[in-house]
Amino acid sequence: MVFARPLALLVAVLLLAGAARADGKEDSRAAFLSGVAMVERADFASAKEAFLKAYELFPHPSILLNLGVVRGRLQEYVEAERDLSRFLAEDGGASEEDISRARAALADVRTHLGTVRVRVTPESASVYVDDAPTPLHSGDLRLAAGTHALRFDAPGFQSARRSVELRAGGTVALDAALEAAPAFAPSDRGTRRTVGIVVLASAGAVGAFATFSGLRALSLADAYNTPGEPKYRDGATRSEGLTFRTLADVGLVTAVVGAAVGLYFVLTSLGDDKPSKVGVLHF
């Protein structure tokens, strides 16, 4: 990786010139010089944070040169490529030496990167790389060489996942066509499951009452038909028995239908609450 102390100091000089002329420049200069000192101690993680702060306070493109080089040291190759490319595109006043160093650093960073050419349907789908969101929908995605997990999400569609093995300097074409979401979304499944359980419980209660009514009707029928019983051939006993038998018949039918409906709701609510079409592509 290309980095030398003169590079940091040259950029520092560019930033120091006129540092006191605008609000924020003084603090930016202090953060930048702190980053330079951290680079000299090989504390690249702290140097990156210092350069980021300096750029936030005063976004001079020269800061991007050191930031890109430091990110390369930290193996943040995608971000390093972005910073170095922006430096070369935006800093029209950079010296030939700085431009040469930036080009060398950029060439080195790109030896660790590859391109995934993404085409996803629908085009509005969001793209996630290793569970981190990206601003990409479709197009070229720059990634460090290695294996990456990509996920595609879009409202009204099932998620899709792909695994990509990317070589440095290589390009992989990846197509992902999302399927429409099922009729019942995961949130609907929970509601259907709850409704099914309630209906099953109600059917059970009705079934218990139907059983009681049936047993009561049998008891009354036995008393009505047994000679010597106080209620033998008693009209009121016969009427009461018919009432309980009717309740038992209606309750049994209601319980069976309710149980069937409840089971339908429960069974159609089963399944993975995180639907995703998984596809693995190795290159």
Side-chain angles (χ1 to χ4, degrees):
M1 177 63 67
V2 177
F3 191 93
R5 180 176 177 183
L7 170 62
L9 296 181
L10 280 171
V11 180
V13 171
L14 290 174
L15 186 65
L16 283 167
R21 293 183 219 156
D23 293 340
K25 280 190 177 183
E26 186 66 29
D27 291 337
S28 177
R29 179 179 70 91
F32 185 89
L33 292 176
S34 175
V36 171
M38 292 169 184
V39 168
E40 293 175 342
R41 297 196 301 267
D43 184 358
F44 299 114
S46 298
K48 181 189 79 171
E49 296 304 319
F51 291 142
L52 285 171
K53 181 179 179 181
Y55 190 77
E56 180 182 359
L57 292 169
F58 180 63
H60 194 287
S62 294
I63 301 172
L64 297 174
L65 174 53
N66 276 17
L67 181 58
V69 172
V70 166
R71 277 178 156 162
R73 287 291 185 93
L74 293 171
Q75 298 183 7
E76 297 176 1
Y77 299 120
V78 175
E79 294 83 358
E81 180 185 46
R82 181 194 62 206
D83 293 336
L84 292 168
S85 297
R86 286 185 60 188
F87 166 76
L88 290 170
E90 297 176 8
D91 198 343
S95 68
E96 288 298 325
E97 182 181 7
D98 281 356
I99 292 174
S100 176
R101 291 178 184 277
R103 286 174 176 169
L106 181 59
D108 182 79
V109 163
R110 283 175 171 168
T111 64
H112 301 278
L113 296 173
T115 301
V116 180
R117 191 150 292 159
V118 177
R119 185 173 64 182
V120 59
T121 305
E123 294 183 354
S124 60
S126 298
V127 181
Y128 295 79
V129 177
D130 301 324
D131 290 327
T134 73
L136 184 75
H137 294 290
S138 288
D140 288 352
L141 184 63
R142 295 287 280 171
L143 295 175
T147 301
H148 299 278
L150 276 71
R151 187 177 88 246
F152 307 92
D153 289 338
F157 293 84
Q158 296 188 69
S159 296
R161 296 178 184 271
R162 298 289 187 270
S163 177
V164 175
E165 187 175 344
L166 188 61
R167 295 190 301 271
T171 299
V172 172
L174 191 154
D175 293 346
L178 307 189
E179 295 182 355
F184 303 107
S187 57
D188 296 331
R189 291 194 180 108
T191 301
R192 292 175 64 80
R193 187 180 297 119
T194 300
V195 171
I197 291 173
V198 171
V199 172
L200 281 174
S202 300
V206 172
F209 178 75
T211 301
F212 166 78
S213 297
L215 293 174
R216 178 61 177 162
L218 289 175
S219 176
L220 291 170
D222 185 63
Y224 178 79
N225 293 316
T226 303
E229 287 287 336
K231 295 184 179 182
Y232 177 66
R233 299 299 180 182
D234 179 65
T237 301
R238 181 175 182 275
S239 177
E240 185 181 2
L242 289 174
T243 299
F244 275 104
R245 189 178 72 179
T246 301
L247 289 173
D249 291 342
V250 173
L252 178 62
V253 172
T254 302
V256 170
V257 172
V261 172
L263 283 173
Y264 170 78
F265 275 91
V266 170
L267 292 176
T268 55
S269 71
L270 298 178
D272 186 3
D273 282 350
K274 296 179 180 179
S276 64
K277 179 183 177 183
V278 179
V280 179
L281 302 178
H282 295 286
F283 300 88

